[in-house]
Structures are given as structure tokens and as C-alpha cells.
Amino acid sequence: MTKEYTDNLEEIATFGFEAIDPDEKVEVNLKDLMYVFSTLQEYHRFFHQPLHYKNIKDIERFLGSINEHAGFKLLHISIHEKMRNMLPAHIDAKYGEGDFDSPKLPFYYDENR
């Protein structure tokens, strides 16, 4: 099986979204939404300015680990503890069924890059 890689991360992230009713709404906990929003803001604040990551050590320090009060822990909590609870059951089930799994892989999976 030939693997196809892409630089289009938006295409990967939004794969399968055409099956979602654009008029469907969800009600979410405001504090949880603010946690996710603030996490994304922090990622944006860091990555929008290349001077913030002059070398790989800067990126490693920003990300930290799941056990540190750093970027990776914020992201992990945002996805697995905050956002996952915001998804309706039928959408959450589609993740388990692979409906949102793009057939293309992100460029960084390509060992030959």
C-alpha cells in the first residue's frame, strides 16, 4: 500500500467534515471552552513569532511533557478532558469508526523527507 503525504494540514484536520450538519449546535461549559481557547492562544503567541523559537531547545521547553505545566499538557487536557466532552455522542462515535481519518498522512510522517 502506497502512503500519500501532504503539507496540507487543514485538509487532514477537516477530513470528513462535509458529513456534519452545518446547522447542528452544541452547548458547552464556558470554563472548558475558555481553557481550550486560551491554550490555542498560547500556541499562537509562541509560534507566530519565529524569534520565540530560535532553536529546538526553545520548542522542547515550550512543549515540555505531560507531567509539566507546559504546552503539551495544555494541549492534552484541551483535547482529552475538555473538547472530547463537548462532542455529541454520534460525532464521538465517528472518530472511533475512522470517519474523520484522512487517507493522506502529514508530511512529518514521511521518514524520507
Side-chain angles (χ1 to χ4, degrees):
M1 177 180 194
T2 304
K3 295 178 183 176
E4 185 177 351
Y5 302 98
T6 182
D7 290 340
N8 188 340
L9 301 181
E10 184 178 20
E11 176 186 25
I12 292 172
T14 60
F15 182 83
F17 282 18
E18 66 279 347
I20 298 172
D21 179 354
D23 296 320
E24 184 174 4
K25 307 284 187 251
V26 296
E27 186 173 311
V28 300
N29 177 285
L30 180 57
K31 192 171 182 178
D32 288 348
L33 181 61
M34 288 303 300
Y35 188 98
V36 174
F37 183 76
S38 293
T39 296
L40 292 173
Q41 278 188 313
E42 192 57 39
Y43 270 78
H44 185 264
R45 180 166 58 172
F46 180 76
F47 283 110
H48 93 280
Q49 177 52 263
L51 291 175
H52 294 167
Y53 49 96
K54 294 179 182 179
N55 56 56
I56 192 69
K57 290 283 187 199
D58 293 331
I59 295 171
E60 290 171 347
R61 184 175 177 192
F62 173 81
L63 290 174
S65 74
I66 193 71
N67 299 314
E68 299 173 296
H69 299 289
F72 183 75
K73 183 175 186 175
L74 283 171
L75 189 60
H76 179 84
I77 290 170
S78 290
I79 293 168
H80 297 288
E81 295 179 25
K82 307 297 182 179
M83 291 299 298
R84 196 39 75 95
N85 294 330
M86 296 178 192
L87 299 177
H90 68 279
I91 296 295
D92 192 45
K94 288 183 177 292
Y95 273 101
E97 296 165 4
D99 291 1
F100 300 120
D101 294 344
S102 173
K104 296 179 184 176
L105 297 170
F107 71 91
Y108 53 83
Y109 271 44
D110 186 354
E111 295 173 357
N112 300 316
R113 67 178 189 280

